[in-house]
Amino acid sequence: MSYQEIISLMQSPTENDKILIEKAFNFALTAHEGQKRKSGEPYFVHVFETAKNLADLKMDTPTIVAGFLHDSIEDGVATEERIKNEFGEEVLFLINGVTKLGKVKYRGAERHIESLRKFIVASSEDIRVLIIKLADRLHNMRTIKFVRPDKQKRIALETLEIYAPLAYRLSIRKISRELEDLSFENAYPEEFGKTVELKKNKKAEILPRLEKFIKSVKKALAEQGVIHMQTDYRKKGIYSLYRKLQTHENDIEKIYDLLAIRICVDTIADCYKVLGIIHGVWRPLPGRIKDYIAFPKPNGYQSIHTTVFTGDGSIVEVQIRTFEMHNISEYGIASHLAYKENDSNKKATHDTNWFKQLLPKMINFPGVNKNKGDEMPKWIKDLAESQKGIKTESEKDGFINDLKADFFNERIFVFTPKGDVVDLPDGSYVLDFAYAIHSDVGNHTNSAKINGKMVSLDSKLKNGDIVEIITNKSNKPNERWEHIVKTNMAKRHIANYLDKTRKK
Ligand code: MN
């Protein structure tokens, strides 16, 4: 472990960047001196590996520095003051963001999963905070076998339900695939074992034929003048295979992309040329040609997929894309953030939320490389589409705030005393929360506490409130309740109840 190892992974670091990395390395070493992980390894190994994951994603220097320091206040001996003095406010801001995210816990309440994902995205004011959290979680998952078994399960489920899908939505496949497989193994060991076994047998059967096929493909392409290319095969992740098996009657013979051939070329025109050459030599399976270049997936993924008969009894999926598309499919949003900014742009501060970080790089803002817009994930592009004609800074700010409000639909996030997150429309009352938990809880609400203090039932909730509902079996909804709820769900339950009692 050395700081040079990190530097060697970075994208053209300046002298100043190198000095900062060395400084962060040494700072973390001191801050965690003598501390051990559950594995018995020095704690420093964890923060080093987190920083390494970030360098591998080609993140900027403040992010990698924050990776080194992310546990130095919570678990180490560093103080906010010292970090601010030695590394500046931006790094401190990122660390505090990661600490805040660490307080959110998934407890397995199925119906709140989407709330929790939204909450995590909304609280990561800067997308880099979320990416640090993913890099941190990746190392925690790699070493999960040292954690207490009951905790293992909770962390694995949290990763599978929350963090892996978030990494996928940010299209950081490089991280989401590994997070999926590590957490699948720990959350559902039996299913994992079965899937691994299935894959192993099938792979042994098809690999030799596949390697022969790759050789023939290379030859066919070279004959047509496609020389600058890279071919390899990509293995399907275990979890992704498991999911696919579920929709294919658990029949591995029906899965054609267990091992897929990947061909990377320079330009989009080359991609279609390669497709033409391949279809000229090997017969494609009808209905299996997918053009994700013309029609990218919602997370921005671009590639052409086709499935062909290889002539020796096998059926193989071929994926064709440019080198750039390949890079984006592995690194996703990280690949958009990983660019060298000039010094005037480098001052990212607290108030730059993550939309702001991304939006200036998009099509319609002045001074933006037009070609860059083409490689944005679609959901971000859609957000950008609606901001044509914005000129001044304050218009831009207003737009971004509206956007954030729309995106999260004016939601607030409140907690149960156990830490489950419930998202409700802004302006919701205590009773809305009670009905969101369960209609029985709502119907028997007697009183409520917000942040530990007794409140009246017409109290409105604020973002981040911890709400406790005290029920009483003999308590019932009354007419007044109809006026102190905001959600349609709560209104409906109350009206139903009152209707029934009126009829009686
Ligand atoms: Mn950590």
Side-chain angles (χ1 to χ4, degrees), residues 196-211 233 252 258-259:
V196 167
E197 202 52 34
L198 265 176
K199 182 180 171 179
K200 209 169 72 188
N201 296 336
K202 184 71 184 166
K203 191 181 154 190
E205 179 194 324
I206 56 180
L207 192 57
R209 282 188 272 172
L210 193 80
E211 276 164 354
Y233 63 89
I252 197 153
L258 183 68
L259 297 177

Side-chain angles (χ1 to χ4, degrees), residues 43 46 70-71 136 140:
Y43 200 98
H46 167 65
H70 79 275
D71 283 329
D136 167 58
N140 284 338

Side-chain angles (χ1 to χ4, degrees), residues 460-474:
K460 278 194 185 179
L461 301 173
K462 289 191 312 298
N463 217 355
D465 280 343
I466 300 169
V467 189
E468 185 180 349
I469 301 293
I470 298 134
T471 54
N472 184 332
K473 278 257 145 52
S474 59

Side-chain angles (χ1 to χ4, degrees), residues 37 43 46-47 50 67 70-71 75 98 133 136-137 140:
R37 295 269 288 177
Y43 200 98
H46 167 65
V47 297
T50 303
H70 79 275
D71 283 329
D75 300 314
V98 177
K133 183 72 194 170
D136 167 58
R137 180 52 60 104
N140 284 338

Side-chain angles (χ1 to χ4, degrees), residues 107 109 112 413-422 433 437 465-469:
R107 315 247 167 194
H112 300 312
F413 299 91
V414 291
F415 299 86
T416 69
K418 280 186 174 170
D420 285 333
V421 188
V422 177
F433 173 86
I437 298 294
D465 280 343
I466 300 169
V467 189
E468 185 180 349
I469 301 293

